[in-house]
Amino acid sequence: MKHTFKLLFMLGAIVLPSSMFAQSTTILESFAQFDCHSANSGTFTKHISMRIDNKRGLSDGNFVCACSSHRDLKKFAGTVTDANGKVVKKIKRSDLTRTEYSSSLASDDYAFYYEAEVPASYPITITYDWEVEYSHHLNAYPSFFPIPGYEIAVDTASYTIIQRPENTLTYRVLNFSPDIKVTEADGNRRRIEFSIGHVSHMDKQAWGPSFSDRAPQVILSPLSFDWNNTHCDMSDWHSFGSWINELNSGRQKLTPEVVSRLHQATDTCTTLRSKVKAARKLLGNMTRYVSIQLGIGGYQTATAEDVCKNGIGDCKALSNCFCAMLHEIGLPAVYTLIALNDRHLIKDMPNFTQLNHVIVQVPLPGDTLWVECTNDIYPTDYRHNGMCGHDVVLIHPTGGELQTIPEYADSLNLHQVFADIELSADGSAHISYRESNLNSQFETLCNLTRIPTKDQQKVLLNRIACSNPTINDMKIQSDGACIDYKLDLHSGAFCKWSNNRIFLPLTLNPFYPLQNTKEEAHIIDLMGEGKLRESTIRYRIPEGYTVDSKLDPLRIDSPFGSFTRHMLIEDGYLVIRDTYLMRSGIYPEDQFAEWIAFRKALVDSSKKKVILKAVGV
Amino acid sequence: MKAFWIASFCLLLASTRVFAFEKNIKLGNPTNEELSLVSYDEDPDAEAICLYHGTTVDFRLTDQGLKAEYHYKIRIKVLKPEGVDWGNAEIIYYNSSKSTNKETVTGVKGTSYNLENGKVVKSKLNSDLKSDEMLNNHNHVYKFSLPNVKVGSVIEYEYRIESDFFHLIRDWYAQMSIPVRYAEFVITVPEFLKFSKLMTGVYPMEHKFTSSKYPVTTSNGQVLLNADIEEYWAENLPKMVKEDYIHSINDYKSHIIYDLEMLCFPGSRVQNFNNSWTNVDKMLLEDDKFGDLFKMKNPMPEFGVFLSIDEINDKKTEKAGEITLIDLSACGNTKEKVEVLRRAMRKKIKWNGKYGIYGMNTRQMLKESSVNAAALNFALMAILRDAGIQAVPVVLSRRSQGRISSAHAEIGALNAMVLQVRDGDQTFYVDAANDDFPVGTLHPDLLVEYARVVAPNRFEWVDISKCCKANVMQFVNATLDEDGNLNGMLMRRHRGILCGVSRNNYNNKKDSLTHVEKLAANLDCEITDYRVGDFASSAETYTDSIFFTKQVDADGESIYINPYLFVDMKSPFKTATRELPIECDCMVGEKHSIKIQIPEGYVAESCPKPISLRLEDGKTSCKIVTQVTPEEINVSISYNRDTMFYDTATFENLRSFWTTIEDACNSIIVLKK
């Protein structure tokens, strides 16, 4: 007998709550504890038991433990039980695979991992118990991350830290409100326990905030620590910055050869900005990015001299070397820490959890540059998407200072399109197409000049909606944070001709149909998405044809942006001018339906056509 | 002299053309031409060019036994900023704490050369820029980064690998992802070793063999044995990178495979290795994880699943728990029986996602929560045997892992297994692992030209690439109103391979809502209702019905409609030329039937002409017929592809074929009031 199952949708009106979508995994219980033994050591133990309901959740059952020279896995045990509670597998320490592989050239880090096996049936429950010994220094405590990923619900989770008097620490709670219990423990120690009950799973949101902006978490940090004969005061960013400065002091000596080349390259520059650019160009010519994360060298930069000699460095080393170069030519430069994945640092708690990159601030009079030193695909004076709007920590000799890198105004992220189109009787078209892309729009194409010609053609043709395209000529020009290109195209079946009528598309860069329109309403995060697109398309109206459609203007307005279209006939051309402005920002969840409606209106605008009709018909 | 040197350098700098190179195979001395090169005419896009890479292989008799010693040398010119990453290298080698046999990397040396102010500046690789990491339980990776690599640099490095695995010679590839000016491979084979060799790839290589001597120290002093120096080389090789419609790019790269056939030390017994497919067959049949499994007992009774009452009575069932009796009497044919049995087995035994050619016996299987595909196929073979259905294993190399050659036997190249089932005088194929694919069909990655039946008293090559096809039938029934609103139903029937693919996508969906939304975006319509057929009752067909609405252009006087609804006939070929052939996933048969009721009082101004196309080989064809009556528009499309391979000579015709189809499916019908 044939069974069917039926899903009913009314047009865009029904929003199905996320509880309708089963999560893949539920953490039944998660208990973690960090027991401090001294100012520099402690033991971390964790017990986690999770139920995996289907194959999508199987990877949640993988075990990974990151270790290093001061963090070692001491004990481990795991079990897998079936739906009836029967133990189907015991996982021993010897079942774990150890790997030292890293993306760096060299690193102290290693990891133990275990891949959960496909079970005979779902659900299964996987339980892990393990213990990690921390030694030598405690510059960070493990965070409390009760929900480790999307589609994972939690029934109960807790994290306890047992402090000794010498372990001063502080913490910040983000995105949830756990129960927090502070009690005294034996031996003059203090116990802080964070706990939560049931938390529903999180679904990925197409236009929502990032996982780390949503996920419940407690980040803990010592107020100070000692490492390799240095002492770091973590009470604020200022003192933290002092430690970084101390670690890196005395490391800015350049080789004489580089000093000579630097002056050769910059002494004749007439403006400060051009000096900075020339110095950056030299850095790019003489170095490449290779990461080396060993010991305290994971936080301490390699010397500028080593970078000069080897031509190799990671973000720390290259940024430090660049600072040294600018200082050599009398320009200010500040070693700057940033979190590429988090826009906002915890303002009142320095921590190692968030920071993951280094750039250079160049505070010129009336003009501050933020320079990416690891990749010269970004122009010297361009602020890329990983830094715009992000908090940073400037490392001055006097200490650290928090600042925020400004974003570009939406209208400065400019995408301009010009197309002149000549139609042929067979529906084909000759298109002279030009684009100009500035700032964030440049960034989407910044690699273009570095890929093979065939791949360039693929990338550019993917940006234009026309059928059976052939490129006759292509020119690409890049200057600073602007990339322009011209294409001379033939499109085989560009428009539809049907018995004395021609159907002309009104855009060559349509808005594509949406997915995820039925998500539960949520905050709309459009930070960094602001842009202005201006498109002008001119069709030469073929002889014997006239415009047979109304050329009414179109306007779509919303809090998120606006779209306008104007059409006119000018000197034998049908001219279509579109302007689309998207406003960067964070919008409340009660505007979600309006957001979907706005996007749908944009998609609909792309589908419209103008009809030309043969005269006398 | 210095002035001449500087003048020559300036002259060279002024030119961007490549010079005639002399072969420079000795490291430590890049030539002026190599240092001065600024671009490579044969490939102006190249980020770097390999000027030379050479590998020598020698065999050494040591106290620990015979070892293979590899010596790698390479010289690369960096031409563009993206090319500087060629200054970083990773060498993966075998080193396991659980094995006494291992590989060791030694002798790592490197230098970068830069022309600065007319002088050659050398920067040597120092120990600070080298590291060794444990990759996993079996492998290590040795990494290093050459200093001072920039645009214009010539970089050189060399290293040796000493390997206990003298019988497993590393495959050698002449081509890289950058152009190669000159590549060579030299192996000195002493007389006590005999290898079979395979040279393959799109670009030919030269080779020559010369005789030599091989000194061996014995208790009686040094003895000179005979040896062959076997050299292979190639010049001016283009880069080879992955392209669309190529399953494994390594199939096309010029490369050499050495496989040990025989080892015979003087005074010792001859040891034969796999030197023919016949030997491979024998090795497999003698293996307890392959040949012994022909006698494997049907594992299903252990899971409480039986084929007959007698079986239940025979088996001690008190421990079995729930008992299931499979009734095959309702099955109309052998395929249906196999489907029922496979389904029953898969309910009890799960696939761990891995392939392989070695299985396990029932006792081992019971200990595992999931097993590899080979184990599943052996288990199914045993079950079928009990059901009176004959099946034999067929071993192969999946398309994504590279082709095997009937001329070159290599057991290590085999990585997957399916079953061939006899059905009277017909045969069909089944994979116990990919059970989304109906019996008689296989996942496209398994559709190979060379697969080998390995069974007692039966060894043969079979071409399973065309054993099945992807079939789709789509029916659209829609109504159009005066305002351009199109409402209707799309019914899709996917059979064969496409049934498997569609079912797999559906089973792996996140949830139904996401699945339907994705569908709506792909079909460019609003979906008001969605139904999918029951997989259990229609094993060979995936059907779904999509109730949709769509808006077409209408201006009160006329309606403009593209009647080729939900027909995806876009040309997949955007580039004008192609250097490699085209490998399709499978053969395809597509039929579309579209009926659109038009509003009363409207007539079509014209009707698109019918199209009938066929490629020269006669295996690819397409027909599009459009008819308009006062009441409706009818469209019938059939597309057939009975081949999986197009050579490069066909590309232009193929592109033109698809251009014509795409253009035809973009036509608009104007309905006038």
Side-chain angles (χ1 to χ4, degrees):
Chain A
M1 176 145 174
K2 188 172 178 175
H3 300 283
T4 60
F5 32 127
K6 191 171 162 175
L7 298 162
L8 268 170
F9 300 99
M10 292 163 63
L11 282 168
I14 286 186
V15 170
L16 296 160
S18 60
S19 55
M20 259 194 76
F21 314 123
Q23 66 271 0
S24 312
T25 304
T26 303
I27 293 176
L28 303 170
E29 55 187 23
S30 165
F31 307 126
Q33 176 173 287
F34 191 92
D35 189 359
C36 301
H37 301 318
S38 71
N40 299 316
S41 62
T43 303
F44 176 75
T45 50
K46 186 155 180 178
H47 163 87
I48 187 167
S49 182
M50 66 193 102
R51 188 187 68 236
I52 296 171
D53 295 313
N54 54 55
K55 61 182 167 186
R56 287 177 61 85
L58 187 62
S59 57
D60 298 328
N62 294 342
F63 173 80
V64 180
C65 177
C67 301
S68 70
S69 55
H70 67 275
R71 217 168 46 226
D72 194 23
L73 178 68
K74 287 295 184 203
K75 291 183 189 165
F76 171 85
T79 55
V80 181
T81 53
D82 65 13
N84 298 321
K86 180 180 161 201
V87 175
V88 293
K89 186 168 178 85
K90 285 193 175 163
I91 309 163
K92 303 181 292 294
R93 168 87 186 240
S94 54
D95 293 321
L96 301 179
T97 301
R98 181 188 150 113
T99 181
E100 296 164 357
Y101 186 70
S102 70
S103 55
S104 307
L105 168 63
S107 167
D108 276 337
D109 296 344
Y110 59 98
F112 288 96
Y113 68 90
Y114 174 80
E115 249 181 86
E117 291 174 354
V118 174
S121 63
Y122 290 99
I124 52 167
T125 300
I126 299 183
T127 302
Y128 293 122
D129 289 273
W130 73 97
E131 185 179 293
V132 178
E133 200 63 44
Y134 284 66
S135 58
H136 297 111
H137 62 270
L138 281 176
N139 64 315
Y141 297 101
S143 303
F144 180 36
F145 244 104
I147 300 184
Y150 289 117
E151 296 181 37
I152 303 175
V154 174
D155 279 352
T156 179
S158 72
Y159 177 50
T160 303
I161 183 159
I162 305 173
Q163 269 178 287
R164 300 173 73 86
E166 59 268 33
N167 301 110
T168 51
L169 66 85
T170 183
Y171 60 86
R172 294 296 174 273
V173 176
L174 304 173
N175 304 325
F176 77 133
S177 304
D179 290 330
I180 305 176
K181 266 191 226 151
V182 181
T183 53
E184 298 305 313
D186 54 292
N188 206 20
R189 299 190 300 167
R190 189 168 77 139
R191 182 196 301 267
I192 309 174
E193 183 185 344
F194 308 91
S195 60
I196 48 158
H198 179 79
V199 181
S200 296
H201 72 280
M202 295 195 316
D203 278 313
K204 197 157 189 234
Q205 293 169 346
W207 306 282
S210 66
F211 180 78
S212 62
D213 282 345
R214 296 167 63 195
Q217 52 196 286
V218 179
I219 297 180
L220 300 100
S221 200
L223 285 172
S224 68
F225 65 89
D226 294 310
W227 191 358
N228 257 34
N229 301 318
T230 66
H231 175 79
C232 179
D233 178 355
M234 298 266 283
S235 49
D236 54 33
W237 287 108
H238 178 83
S239 48
F240 172 79
S242 290
W243 181 72
I244 297 284
N245 183 65
E246 184 195 334
L247 270 191
N248 292 335
S249 60
R251 297 184 155 253
Q252 289 208 342
K253 186 169 167 228
L254 300 167
T255 59
E257 191 240 334
V258 166
V259 168
S260 165
R261 286 174 70 187
L262 176 62
H263 280 285
Q264 245 182 341
T266 59
D267 283 353
T268 51
C269 295
T270 51
T271 66
L272 297 180
R273 194 180 252 250
S274 60
K275 277 184 191 278
V276 176
K277 286 185 180 181
R280 176 65 184 89
K281 189 175 176 190
L282 176 61
L283 179 76
N285 286 344
M286 69 184 214
T287 62
R288 72 186 196 277
Y289 177 85
V290 172
S291 168
I292 299 178
Q293 311 290 338
L294 294 167
I296 204 169
Y299 300 102
Q300 182 181 52
T301 173
T303 64
E305 197 171 4
D306 280 344
V307 173
C308 293
K309 283 183 182 157
N310 294 324
I312 278 172
D314 61 6
C315 60
K316 304 188 297 294
L318 296 176
S319 297
N320 177 65
C321 184
F322 190 56
C323 286
M325 290 166 75
L326 292 183
H327 292 157
E328 170 61 34
I329 56 175
L331 292 180
V334 183
Y335 186 87
T336 304
L337 309 179
I338 188 173
L340 289 177
N341 305 331
D342 286 311
R343 285 178 161 261
H344 302 296
L345 297 175
I346 301 172
K347 297 275 192 285
D348 56 354
M349 189 182 90
N351 66 87
F352 287 93
T353 308
Q354 292 181 295
L355 298 167
N356 63 2
H357 191 50
V358 182
I359 58 175
V360 173
Q361 183 212 43
V362 186
L364 300 176
D367 186 15
T368 299
L369 305 180
W370 302 89
V371 183
E372 173 62 63
C373 297
T374 63
N375 193 343
D376 56 4
I377 218 167
Y378 300 120
T380 306
D381 53 359
Y382 174 66
R383 307 189 293 274
H384 62 67
N385 282 343
M387 51 161 101
C388 268
H390 283 232
D391 293 336
V392 296
V393 185
L394 304 172
I395 307 297
H396 300 295
T398 50
E401 178 199 349
L402 275 185
Q403 269 197 27
T404 304
I405 297 179
E407 299 220 42
Y408 289 107
D410 298 332
S411 58
L412 291 181
N413 296 320
L414 182 60
H415 174 205
Q416 286 180 318
V417 173
F418 302 92
D420 277 331
I421 305 176
E422 300 272 347
L423 303 166
S424 300
D426 59 358
S428 66
H430 174 254
I431 306 171
S432 295
Y433 184 90
R434 281 184 295 136
E435 264 198 34
S436 185
N437 294 274
L438 188 62
N439 294 327
S440 72
Q441 302 305 294
F442 148 82
E443 196 167 329
T444 58
L445 293 170
C446 61
N447 223 22
L448 191 65
T449 52
R450 298 192 176 194
I451 58 178
T453 308
K454 220 164 67 163
D455 294 334
Q456 287 175 336
Q457 291 180 349
K458 259 193 204 164
V459 165
L460 296 182
L461 287 178
N462 272 341
R463 291 167 70 83
I464 307 170
C466 67
S467 170
N468 286 322
T470 309
I471 296 180
N472 300 322
D473 192 27
M474 179 174 74
K475 283 188 180 55
I476 300 170
Q477 205 175 342
S478 185
D479 182 20
C482 180
I483 192 160
D484 294 345
Y485 64 89
K486 282 185 200 175
L487 297 176
D488 189 271
L489 288 175
H490 174 85
S491 175
F494 175 76
C495 57
K496 293 151 185 133
W497 288 60
S498 186
N499 204 42
N500 303 317
R501 279 184 183 79
I502 313 171
F503 303 87
L504 300 179
L506 301 186
T507 177
L508 296 178
N509 315 98
F511 294 99
Y512 286 103
L514 300 175
Q515 295 191 36
N516 308 96
T517 56
K518 308 267 187 316
E519 279 181 359
E520 200 172 323
H522 56 72
I523 292 170
I524 305 139
D525 186 342
L526 300 177
M527 293 302 293
E529 300 292 332
K531 61 175 164 245
L532 175 64
R533 186 167 87 192
E534 296 173 339
S535 162
T536 304
I537 296 180
R538 295 189 339 147
Y539 286 103
R540 182 192 285 282
I541 301 172
E543 212 171 302
Y545 279 81
T546 184
V547 173
D548 192 38
S549 299
K550 289 187 195 160
L551 301 181
D552 294 335
L554 174 64
R555 183 166 189 100
I556 306 168
D557 273 315
S558 80
F560 320 101
S562 62
F563 177 86
T564 60
R565 173 173 287 155
H566 295 278
M567 296 186 276
L568 64 137
I569 298 170
E570 191 177 68
D571 301 331
Y573 283 86
L574 168 65
V575 182
I576 303 155
R577 290 202 176 95
D578 288 354
T579 306
Y580 167 55
L581 174 70
M582 170 96 120
R583 293 192 194 98
S584 175
I586 295 185
Y587 300 88
E589 103 180 28
D590 59 15
Q591 287 184 329
F592 188 75
E594 201 177 344
W595 161 249
I596 298 295
F598 173 63
R599 294 295 306 191
K600 277 194 174 154
L602 292 175
V603 172
D604 288 343
S605 77
S606 300
K607 294 181 184 175
K608 293 187 188 311
K609 302 229 184 332
V610 158
I611 300 167
L612 304 182
K613 192 171 113 174
V615 174
V617 172
Chain B
M1 186 61 189
K2 188 177 174 183
F4 168 76
W5 176 232
I6 293 171
S8 302
F9 169 62
C10 292
L11 195 60
L12 290 170
L13 266 187
S15 168
T16 58
R17 295 196 66 78
V18 87
F19 290 82
F21 283 90
E22 282 189 24
K23 239 192 312 181
N24 180 12
I25 62 173
K26 209 169 164 218
L27 296 192
N29 218 5
T31 64
N32 295 335
E33 291 89 344
E34 288 170 339
L35 287 162
S36 313
L37 185 65
V38 293
S39 75
Y40 187 55
D41 275 359
E42 279 82 347
D43 186 350
D45 286 333
E47 64 193 31
I49 163 180
C50 176
L51 297 165
Y52 165 69
H53 78 89
T55 304
T56 58
V57 184
D58 294 289
F59 296 91
R60 281 194 310 121
L61 273 170
T62 70
D63 294 338
Q64 291 84 39
L66 184 64
K67 293 184 191 289
E69 196 171 84
Y70 301 81
H71 187 191
Y72 294 91
K73 295 193 283 186
I74 191 163
R75 179 186 300 113
I76 292 174
K77 172 76 181 188
V78 177
L79 296 169
K80 297 202 170 148
E82 315 72 87
V84 299
D85 285 338
W86 284 95
N88 305 328
E90 291 187 359
I91 307 161
I92 296 179
Y93 64 99
Y94 185 88
N95 190 328
S96 168
S97 56
K98 295 178 183 166
S99 168
T100 49
N101 289 336
K102 63 179 193 299
E103 294 180 317
T104 327
V105 173
T106 59
V108 178
K109 289 186 220 167
T111 310
S112 67
Y113 301 85
N114 291 287
L115 266 178
E116 286 171 22
N117 300 321
K119 275 205 222 157
V120 179
V121 176
K122 295 184 196 183
S123 305
K124 280 192 168 2
L125 174 66
N126 60 53
S127 55
D128 289 343
L129 299 175
K130 301 176 188 174
S131 76
D132 190 298
E133 291 178 351
M134 186 169 101
L135 195 53
N136 53 41
N137 289 341
H138 305 292
N139 295 303
H140 276 233
V141 55
Y142 193 103
K143 297 177 177 177
F144 55 89
S145 291
L146 289 172
N148 289 326
V149 176
K150 42 199 160 194
V151 174
S153 297
V154 170
I155 56 179
E156 291 182 343
Y157 58 85
E158 61 179 308
Y159 59 93
R160 292 174 194 275
I161 296 179
E162 188 183 87
S163 173
D164 291 333
F165 305 101
F166 62 88
H167 53 291
L168 290 171
I169 300 300
R170 290 170 168 236
D171 292 350
W172 182 78
Y173 287 87
Q175 280 179 284
M176 299 166 65
S177 57
I178 51 176
V180 174
R181 179 69 185 82
Y182 182 73
E184 65 177 9
F185 176 76
V186 181
I187 180 168
T188 303
V189 182
E191 63 180 67
F192 54 80
L193 292 171
K194 189 161 183 273
F195 288 94
S196 66
K197 310 146 222 248
L198 178 68
M199 188 164 62
T200 182
V202 172
Y203 296 92
M205 289 187 281
E206 307 280 352
H207 65 278
K208 84 171 180 207
F209 294 172
T210 47
S211 301
S212 181
K213 292 293 178 194
Y214 183 85
V216 171
T217 305
T218 70
S219 50
N220 298 326
Q222 200 179 68
V223 171
L224 281 180
L225 302 180
N226 292 322
D228 284 328
I229 301 177
E230 301 175 3
E231 300 173 66
Y232 304 81
W233 69 94
E235 291 186 25
N236 295 323
L237 295 168
K239 70 181 179 207
M240 191 71 89
V241 290
K242 178 94 176 69
E243 279 195 45
D244 292 337
Y245 302 104
I246 291 289
H247 286 272
S248 171
I249 193 62
N250 283 349
D251 287 342
Y252 295 92
K253 283 184 187 173
S254 303
H255 68 283
I256 293 164
I257 303 170
Y258 264 62
D259 221 9
L260 185 63
E261 289 186 343
M262 187 189 72
L263 166 67
C264 179
F265 285 118
S268 301
R269 240 175 41 152
V270 171
Q271 288 178 64
N272 282 311
F273 296 82
N274 55 321
N275 57 346
S276 68
W277 283 109
T278 308
N279 265 8
V280 171
D281 300 335
K282 189 161 172 277
M283 283 171 66
L284 287 174
L285 288 178
E286 287 171 359
D287 197 307
D288 61 358
K289 293 200 215 95
F290 193 98
D292 284 6
L293 297 179
F294 281 82
K295 296 170 251 165
M296 175 182 173
K297 278 201 306 194
N298 172 4
M300 295 313 285
E302 301 297 332
F303 295 99
V305 179
F306 300 91
L307 293 172
S308 69
I309 300 281
D310 292 338
E311 262 188 12
I312 299 175
N313 293 336
D314 287 346
K315 176 83 182 158
K316 287 181 186 142
T317 56
E318 56 271 14
K319 285 182 191 168
E322 181 189 308
I323 294 181
T324 307
L325 181 63
I326 297 181
D327 180 12
L328 296 175
S329 60
C331 297
N333 55 45
T334 308
K335 273 189 186 169
E336 283 183 17
K337 289 182 188 173
V338 173
E339 182 64 65
V340 168
L341 292 168
R342 180 177 70 168
R343 199 176 294 153
M345 181 192 79
R346 288 304 311 279
K347 270 194 185 146
K348 302 294 181 185
I349 314 174
K350 299 298 177 201
W351 182 33
N352 64 9
K354 297 182 178 135
Y355 287 91
I357 60 172
Y358 297 111
M360 57 181 68
N361 60 36
T362 305
R363 192 169 40 86
Q364 289 164 328
M365 198 177 275
L366 289 171
K367 291 182 193 168
E368 304 292 338
S369 58
S370 55
V371 297
N372 72 3
L376 288 173
N377 280 305
F378 275 117
L380 182 61
M381 194 168 83
I383 297 167
L384 294 180
R385 189 185 60 231
D386 274 7
I389 299 170
Q390 251 190 2
V392 289
V394 181
V395 293
L396 53 108
S397 171
R398 287 176 287 138
R399 295 171 85 186
S400 56
Q401 306 302 305
R403 287 193 201 106
I404 54 174
S405 161
S406 58
H408 177 84
E410 194 185 340
I411 197 170
L414 300 168
N415 51 55
M417 190 189 117
V418 298
L419 294 180
Q420 184 194 70
V421 181
R422 270 263 146 85
D423 183 15
D425 55 359
Q426 307 273 327
T427 56
F428 60 84
Y429 295 89
V430 61
D431 179 15
N434 278 297
D435 60 343
D436 285 332
F437 288 76
V439 168
T441 69
L442 298 172
H443 190 284
D445 202 22
L446 300 169
L447 298 176
V448 297
E449 280 182 282
Y450 286 99
R452 190 147 178 90
V453 171
V454 180
N457 304 315
R458 199 170 147 225
F459 312 98
E460 59 177 335
W461 289 107
V462 287
D463 178 355
I464 61 174
S465 63
K466 299 180 191 68
C467 71
C468 48
K469 206 166 166 172
N471 291 98
V472 56
M473 290 176 74
Q474 280 193 180
F475 304 94
V476 177
N477 203 336
T479 308
L480 181 63
D481 72 14
E482 289 191 19
D483 298 321
N485 296 312
L486 193 60
N487 290 283
M489 186 195 76
L490 160 67
M491 184 162 77
R492 307 189 300 180
R493 271 205 196 125
H494 294 167
R495 293 177 63 87
I497 294 169
L498 201 50
C499 171
V501 170
S502 300
R503 204 177 274 168
N504 198 252
N505 286 341
Y506 185 81
N507 285 335
N508 287 320
K509 68 187 185 306
K510 181 186 168 192
D511 53 62
S512 303
L513 186 60
T514 312
H515 178 73
V516 172
E517 266 213 314
K518 225 175 180 173
L519 205 48
N522 288 342
L523 297 174
D524 192 21
C525 65
E526 292 273 353
I527 295 180
T528 55
D529 194 359
Y530 178 74
R531 301 172 196 197
V532 62
D534 180 13
F535 297 164
S537 64
S538 51
E540 292 192 346
T541 312
Y542 172 95
T543 55
D544 61 5
S545 303
I546 300 157
F547 295 81
F548 67 89
T549 69
K550 206 170 152 64
Q551 184 67 42
V552 301
D553 291 325
D555 61 13
E557 297 275 323
S558 306
I559 307 171
Y560 311 94
I561 178 169
N562 174 312
Y564 307 101
L565 297 172
F566 313 122
V567 175
D568 182 11
M569 289 289 194
K570 282 200 188 56
S571 171
F573 308 114
K574 299 292 178 205
T575 54
T577 57
R578 187 176 166 99
E579 273 137 36
L580 292 175
I582 292 162
E583 297 175 349
C584 305
D585 279 350
C586 57
M587 300 190 295
V588 171
E590 237 180 277
K591 278 187 165 44
H592 299 264
S593 172
I594 301 165
K595 186 164 86 173
I596 305 169
Q597 230 176 335
I598 59 181
E600 212 174 302
Y602 279 79
V603 291
E605 281 192 349
S606 66
C607 179
K609 293 194 173 74
I611 304 263
S612 180
L613 299 168
R614 183 178 285 269
L615 283 182
E616 267 179 30
D617 64 3
K619 293 182 181 168
T620 310
S621 63
C622 182
K623 270 192 189 148
I624 305 175
V625 176
T626 316
Q627 289 172 325
V628 186
T629 71
E631 288 83 31
E632 57 193 32
I633 300 170
N634 284 292
V635 174
S636 162
I637 299 177
S638 69
Y639 166 68
N640 213 52
R641 182 181 73 219
D642 284 325
T643 181
M644 288 157 64
F645 182 87
Y646 297 102
D647 61 35
T648 46
T650 328
F651 180 67
E652 207 177 308
N653 287 347
L654 184 63
R655 192 161 180 260
S656 170
F657 174 89
W658 275 101
T659 301
T660 309
I661 295 173
E662 183 176 344
D663 290 351
C665 291
N666 281 331
S667 303
I668 295 251
I669 291 179
V670 180
L671 300 171
K672 217 167 155 176
K673 211 170 186 173

